[in-house]
Amino acid sequence: MEYAYEKEQFRQQTELMGIGRKIKRGMCWYPINVGRSYYNALNQLVVEVERREDKEIEHLFEYGRPVCFFTQELSGKLNYLNFVATVNYVDEDRMVVIFPNVDALFMLQRSEVLGVQLYFDETSYRLMFEALKQVISAKNNRLAELRDIFHGTQPASTFSFQPVRFPWLNCTQEEAVNKVLHAKDVAIVHGPPGTGKTTTLVEAIYETLHRENQVLVCAQSNMAVDWISEKLVDRGVSVLRIGNPSRVNDKMLSFTYERRFESHPDYTQLWSIRKAIRELYGRIRKSSDREQIRTKINSLKDRATELEIRINEALFSEARVIACTLVGSANRILTGQKFGTVFIDEAAQALEAACWIAIRKADRVILAGDHCQLPPTVKDPQALRAGLGYTLMQSIVKNRPETVSLLKVQYRMNDEIMRFSSNWFYGGMLESAPEVKYRSILDFDTPIEWVNTEGMDCNEEFVGENYGRINKPEAELSVAQLKAYILKIGKERFLEEKIDVGLISPYKAQVQYLRQLIRKDNFFKPYRSAITINTVDGFQGQERDVILISLVRANEEGQIGFLNDLRRMNVAITRARMKLIILGDVSTLTRHTFYAELYRYIEDLH
């Protein structure tokens, strides 16, 4: 259902949506400059493109996503060039794109003013369908066993040996690592906000590598893969990153497959052979002796394949961790590779079908994440109702609770900020580490407050499907609140102590409006680098000293739309270390029990 829905949405966007809206939504760059084209280390024809305008708009292009190119007629009609390319590398305004062949490049060079937009991602769906088919039909093998342990009647088994001590971890982290080491089939590290899930997972991977030669580490997004890879590299583990990192820094790039491939001693020889093959292909059309050239091409190709295999074997034998996204685990360079253990981070944000792509390669599965935070992205409301958003992690937590370890000590928030989330989502099980329990910026400050916008003419407006709602007066009030708080701290102190701030709203339109307000206001000039403005999803995994949340919804009917997804709110209210300010219309929001309880909790603190 999701596949059909997304395909149809893409068709409509392509055919009906104006170019301006596509640019605003970050799915299109127009116009673009086309830069140089060359063959990269993996012998792929790549082309550099750069956007010329609208550079402040955040875009959705990332490594591995398919794209298509177009030109625009005077009438405004778009003509799409007849090929699909793939993003190989992207930063703010520049992209390197892999082209399917030289003909596609000629097509591009013949066109005048060009644009590029995201294309429907057929590959990810194809891989998910394949994986599901294989899992459903599996019989008498390890895949069938894992399926029946996760979903059926077969119990999960464990190894028995003395627990290992980790004096540098807290008790619940130590228990979690031991549960991972003792698991024969599956273990789950459940990490609420700020409880050191990544630290625990890195430790578990490090310890597993004392027992296994190599492990596979995956996550749903490139960003999550980068994050865990970076921590492993800091720990001295040799990582081979399949695919390109999302935040491109040199430390990350140095352990990508492409970089490692390039720096192998045999690479220069391989490069010259490939160059020779391309030149021979160029000569074949003009030459009378085609057979001889073909024979030469074939023998060079064999030599190139031999070298490729040799370099590959060297890269894989050196690496202890192979890191990639779930979809990336189906990359052709991993064909036939098997692993003792697969670790899946941010497992609560991954569709079950995507998890199985990677699980097929392993004998044992370790999941880490928090199913009380952000769910996977499901676009079709019907698919969501039919259960697509219910993750593998949730199934295992429900069917095999004995495999779950909950991390209980949090190191991020003032205790009063944490307490509500702990009571509502984690059965009151969390505790604050002594060093953060009473942390605050100002003496006698209330760590958490709710600014009630009721009766202040803060009304919401609807601004179209993808953006949902906006509430301009509330955005202006949020900015005024931030200004007042910076003045209260003192401008010098704010800069000296490098205090950082997050402005969060569940709605994209509100986020864009807040960015505009901060950009236009000279007061914020010295502090801009310390202020991040984003949606809740954009803040996943991050934290700031001060957080302001603009809830936007204000109407007579008490309609709160997707603020009903309380997991998103859990993420929002747990980003703050020392100060949390919520802005919202109490009369609209408190018709929902969660917000009524939250408001009461905050009032009782004052």
Side-chain angles (χ1 to χ4, degrees):
M1 287 155 84
E2 176 79 351
Y3 171 70
Y5 181 86
E6 214 184 321
K7 201 166 185 170
E8 176 54 25
Q9 260 206 328
F10 173 77
R11 191 189 64 77
Q12 287 180 7
Q13 283 168 349
T14 305
E15 290 173 14
L16 309 173
M17 191 190 289
I19 200 162
R21 276 172 71 198
K22 285 184 195 175
I23 292 169
K24 274 210 179 81
R25 290 186 183 183
M27 50 191 280
C28 166
W29 288 356
Y30 180 85
I32 56 172
N33 286 330
V34 177
R36 62 195 190 108
S37 56
Y38 54 93
Y39 284 88
N40 68 6
L42 306 181
N43 206 26
Q44 296 158 322
L45 175 59
V46 297
V47 178
E48 292 178 358
V49 300
E50 193 180 1
R51 62 171 159 180
R52 301 213 295 252
E53 292 165 20
D54 304 299
K55 293 190 173 188
E56 72 292 341
I57 295 175
E58 270 191 56
H59 63 76
L60 302 170
F61 293 99
E62 61 169 313
Y63 167 80
R65 300 216 40 191
V67 294
C68 53
F69 290 84
F70 62 84
T71 57
Q72 188 176 26
E73 293 177 9
L74 288 172
S75 63
K77 183 176 177 285
L78 302 186
N79 289 323
Y80 289 91
L81 304 188
N82 192 12
F83 66 88
V84 178
T86 312
V87 178
N88 188 40
Y89 162 101
V90 65
D91 54 31
E92 304 296 297
D93 304 308
R94 196 177 73 86
M95 217 169 5
V96 178
V97 181
I98 303 169
F99 271 50
N101 50 41
V102 182
D103 295 342
L105 180 61
F106 291 152
M107 248 185 259
L108 199 70
Q109 288 164 341
R110 282 199 299 270
S111 308
E112 295 275 306
V113 186
L114 281 155
V116 60
Q117 79 166 53
L118 284 170
Y119 191 72
F120 176 63
D121 190 357
E122 194 85 49
T123 313
S124 300
Y125 279 108
R126 196 193 70 238
L127 292 169
M128 288 194 276
F129 285 131
E130 272 171 24
L132 283 180
K133 217 183 231 159
Q134 209 175 330
V135 175
I136 291 164
S137 62
K139 277 191 183 72
N140 308 327
N141 61 8
R142 186 57 179 149
L143 193 58
E145 277 174 12
L146 289 173
R147 175 196 64 206
D148 297 343
I149 291 163
F150 300 167
H151 285 294
T153 48
Q154 212 169 319
S157 47
T158 52
F159 298 106
S160 56
F161 52 83
Q162 282 307 103
V164 186
R165 291 303 315 273
F166 301 99
W168 53 93
L169 298 178
N170 69 44
C171 313
T172 58
Q173 291 173 329
E174 184 174 83
E175 270 169 38
V177 176
N178 272 295
K179 197 159 250 188
V180 168
L181 299 177
H182 284 83
K184 260 187 191 168
D185 308 306
V186 63
I188 286 183
V189 179
H190 181 189
T195 53
K197 169 182 67 77
T198 306
T199 309
T200 309
L201 191 59
V202 166
E203 202 54 60
I205 293 168
Y206 192 80
E207 275 305 307
T208 302
L209 289 171
H210 291 332
R211 297 159 172 77
E212 294 172 24
N213 187 36
Q214 197 175 54
V215 299
L216 179 63
V217 174
C218 295
Q220 171 66 24
S221 68
N222 276 301
M223 222 149 105
V225 178
D226 293 343
W227 181 241
I228 188 97
S229 301
E230 216 168 307
K231 296 285 172 247
L232 286 163
V233 169
D234 290 347
R235 197 60 205 274
V237 176
S238 69
V239 173
L240 184 61
R241 169 80 164 92
I242 310 289
N244 270 339
S246 55
R247 300 185 315 274
V248 181
N249 59 32
D250 281 343
K251 177 176 157 190
M252 293 292 300
L253 275 174
S254 63
F255 53 85
T256 61
Y257 175 78
E258 206 167 312
R259 271 291 161 91
R260 291 272 170 92
F261 195 92
E262 251 175 353
S263 44
H264 190 275
D266 287 344
Y267 175 69
T268 39
Q269 193 188 346
L270 177 62
W271 193 86
S272 350
I273 293 174
R274 285 170 172 172
K275 192 171 173 228
I277 292 173
R278 283 197 290 275
E279 281 165 3
L280 286 169
Y281 269 126
R283 275 174 38 202
I284 208 163
R285 293 188 191 93
K286 302 169 199 147
S287 170
S288 53
D289 199 354
R290 289 180 189 174
E291 272 317 298
Q292 201 181 348
I293 295 179
R294 278 212 178 89
T295 314
K296 199 162 187 188
I297 287 176
N298 289 338
S299 81
L300 284 174
K301 273 187 175 171
D302 291 345
R303 181 80 189 104
T305 308
E306 230 170 87
L307 281 172
E308 262 178 69
I309 291 169
R310 196 156 84 203
I311 297 175
N312 255 346
E313 278 172 357
L315 297 188
F316 276 101
S317 62
E318 285 161 19
R320 303 294 311 275
V321 167
I322 306 295
C324 56
T325 59
L326 292 163
V327 168
S329 68
N331 191 307
R332 64 175 185 85
I333 48 185
L334 288 176
T335 307
Q337 297 273 356
K338 286 292 280 181
F339 300 89
T341 308
V342 59
F343 290 86
I344 301 178
D345 194 13
E346 299 293 10
Q349 278 187 276
L351 293 179
E352 169 160 355
C355 291
W356 285 110
I357 300 173
I359 294 171
R360 293 180 299 177
K361 294 191 171 299
D363 284 332
R364 193 174 83 105
V365 183
I366 311 299
L367 303 173
D370 179 9
H371 49 285
C372 305
Q373 289 185 63
L374 288 181
T377 310
V378 176
K379 293 178 180 152
D380 177 14
Q382 275 180 298
L384 194 61
R385 280 195 292 275
L388 185 64
Y390 191 71
T391 60
L392 182 62
M393 180 162 167
Q394 282 169 294
S395 295
I396 298 170
V397 168
K398 186 168 165 267
N399 299 334
R400 301 279 169 264
E402 70 282 4
T403 63
V404 182
S405 308
L406 176 68
L407 304 179
K408 293 178 187 167
V409 184
Q410 70 86 19
Y411 299 88
R412 174 183 299 163
M413 298 161 261
N414 176 299
D415 197 67
E416 289 180 4
I417 296 175
M418 176 212 72
R419 184 66 34 222
F420 182 79
S421 166
S422 171
N423 292 344
W424 184 279
F425 292 98
Y426 308 102
M429 307 267 282
L430 305 188
E431 53 191 86
S432 303
E435 62 267 35
V436 303
K437 195 165 189 172
Y438 303 111
R439 72 194 312 193
S440 67
I441 299 173
L442 299 164
D443 296 341
F444 312 114
D445 195 5
T446 31
I448 173 170
E449 57 182 282
W450 185 314
V451 178
N452 183 6
T453 59
E454 193 182 333
M456 292 190 189
D457 288 332
C458 289
N459 299 317
E460 61 172 77
E461 304 165 54
F462 181 68
V463 284
E465 280 311 295
N466 274 27
Y467 288 95
R469 315 271 159 176
I470 192 169
N471 187 330
K472 289 182 176 176
E474 188 177 282
E476 284 147 24
L477 187 63
S478 307
V479 170
Q481 284 283 330
L482 176 56
K483 201 179 280 187
Y485 198 66
I486 291 175
L487 292 170
K488 210 169 168 185
I489 296 168
K491 295 180 173 186
E492 285 72 32
R493 185 184 159 204
F494 187 91
L495 292 168
E496 249 166 55
E497 296 185 13
K498 294 191 163 59
I499 291 168
D500 53 10
V501 177
L503 271 167
I504 301 182
S505 176
Y507 291 96
K508 284 184 196 165
Q510 190 78 341
V511 166
Q512 290 195 348
Y513 189 60
L514 284 163
R515 283 187 184 146
Q516 237 170 319
L517 292 173
I518 296 281
R519 217 179 19 246
K520 282 184 189 154
D521 192 330
N522 276 334
F523 172 87
F524 292 106
K525 212 167 187 174
Y527 317 112
R528 274 181 203 149
S529 61
I531 301 170
T532 314
I533 308 166
N534 216 328
T535 57
V536 183
D537 299 44
F539 264 100
Q540 169 81 347
Q542 300 187 43
E543 52 187 80
R544 297 288 184 274
D545 296 325
V546 182
I547 289 282
L548 291 93
I549 306 171
S550 165
L551 293 175
V552 176
R553 300 310 296 253
N555 53 64
E556 302 287 303
E557 302 75 46
Q559 291 289 328
I560 62 167
F562 83 146
L563 291 189
N564 273 311
D565 189 345
L566 304 181
R567 292 175 293 185
R568 267 203 171 73
M569 272 322 286
N570 186 29
V571 173
I573 62 178
T574 55
R575 300 303 99 196
R577 297 187 193 107
M578 298 183 261
K579 177 76 175 180
L580 172 64
I581 302 171
I582 297 170
L583 294 98
D585 182 320
V586 170
S587 65
T588 301
L589 290 153
T590 53
R591 297 191 204 179
H592 189 297
T593 337
F594 174 86
Y595 296 95
E597 289 284 322
L598 178 59
Y599 185 65
R600 193 174 311 128
Y601 170 81
I602 294 169
E603 287 303 285
D604 290 348
L605 291 175
H606 287 241

